[in-house]
Amino acid sequence: MRPGQKGRLAILISGRGSNLQAFIEACASGQLAAEICVVISNNPAATGLDRAAAAGIPTRCIDHRDFPSREAFDAALAREVALWRADLVILAGFMRILTPVFIQPLAGRLLNVHPSLLPKYPGLQTHQRALDAGDQEAGVTVHFVTLELDGGPPIIQARVPIIPGDTAESLAARVIVQEHVIYPLAAQWHIAGRLQLTEQGACLDGKPLPATGIDYRQEVA
Ligand code: GAR
């Protein structure tokens, strides 16, 4: 990308799209030097599609139920993403397990947000699992996507306290506020050419990041 040029983002969603909304706002404010070229959902009922349309962003729906296999769905998804020539592909509450067909061609250009302090609680029900374990804190991780589910190198994490009386819903509400802060920030690092996926893991400004990524409390943008 040439200096001063905006990055092109493709954002993949399955539902509400509050992280998508954070990206829309970060692009509008200039905090993120990017334009969202397309929002793609696997779920025709995803309300995030309405947010994208309201912001004038092209939307596409590729319904996974129309395909005979994960690989066939992933191939169609990869074809659609390629059409938009995105610099960076953002999984924002995209609730499908992806196969190498989709992941491998995008290595180093595919990010995910996961609502736990990875490597704790990959998969689903992360907040309830943190409560059941008696954890004192929970949080969110932005990471590169690799073939291991929720197992790619972390880029940044934000922590929140678990408060007595918390439910999965109250905890999720506290965590998502942090998601909306750290996900556009990580994307901006990537767009600015500061963030890479290397054999050593995630690197920022040429330096390998800690195994759990940057701790947002210590981060200085
Ligand atoms: C977010 O909490 C995100 O971290 C989570 O889905 C939610 C989507 O919310 N993603 C995952 O669990 C992926 N494994 P949103 O649609 O309002 O952005």
Side-chain angles (χ1 to χ4, degrees):
M1 220 178 337
R2 287 194 303 277
Q5 206 177 9
K6 283 189 174 179
R8 290 173 64 82
L9 306 180
I11 300 192
L12 276 51
I13 63 168
S14 297
R16 174 180 61 174
S18 72
N19 277 286
L20 164 65
Q21 189 68 44
F23 273 83
I24 291 171
E25 288 166 19
C27 290
S29 73
Q31 180 212 338
L32 179 50
E35 61 175 313
I36 303 168
C37 50
V38 66
V39 171
I40 305 171
S41 175
N42 67 305
N43 170 16
T47 51
L49 289 169
D50 302 329
R51 296 181 193 263
I57 300 166
T59 60
R60 296 289 182 271
C61 182
I62 302 177
D63 190 335
H64 61 276
R65 294 168 298 190
D66 294 341
F67 295 85
S69 66
R70 283 192 190 277
E71 286 76 12
F73 168 71
D74 281 10
L77 192 61
R79 277 195 299 275
E80 184 64 42
V81 167
L83 286 178
W84 294 91
R85 294 177 292 105
D87 300 301
L88 183 61
V89 178
I90 298 289
L91 304 180
F94 187 72
M95 303 306 279
R96 296 291 301 167
I97 293 174
L98 291 162
T99 67
V101 171
F102 186 79
I103 295 172
Q104 264 164 355
L106 291 172
R109 295 194 295 127
L110 182 58
L111 304 187
N112 184 42
V113 64
H114 183 76
S116 77
L117 296 170
L118 290 171
K120 276 190 162 182
Y121 315 129
L124 300 175
Q125 314 291 345
T126 55
H127 303 304
Q128 191 58 53
R129 287 156 71 199
L131 293 173
D132 291 348
D135 291 353
Q136 311 258 303
E137 61 177 7
V140 51
T141 306
V142 176
H143 64 98
F144 279 110
V145 176
T146 59
L147 298 182
E148 190 188 343
L149 179 66
D150 298 326
I155 298 161
I156 185 167
Q157 291 189 325
R159 295 163 188 275
V160 302
I162 292 179
I163 294 170
D166 259 339
T167 62
E169 290 71 30
S170 65
L171 183 53
R174 197 172 305 121
V175 169
I176 201 134
V177 173
Q178 300 301 315
E179 300 190 27
H180 299 164
V181 174
I182 68 169
Y183 206 5
L185 179 60
Q188 174 56 28
W189 289 340
H190 196 286
I191 291 296
R194 298 177 59 193
L195 183 64
Q196 275 97 28
L197 177 62
T198 72
E199 288 189 357
Q200 285 73 48
C203 287
L204 184 66
D205 298 330
K207 297 193 195 80
L209 292 177
T212 52
I214 287 179
D215 182 341
Y216 177 62
R217 289 173 301 191
Q218 294 162 8
E219 183 274 333
V220 182

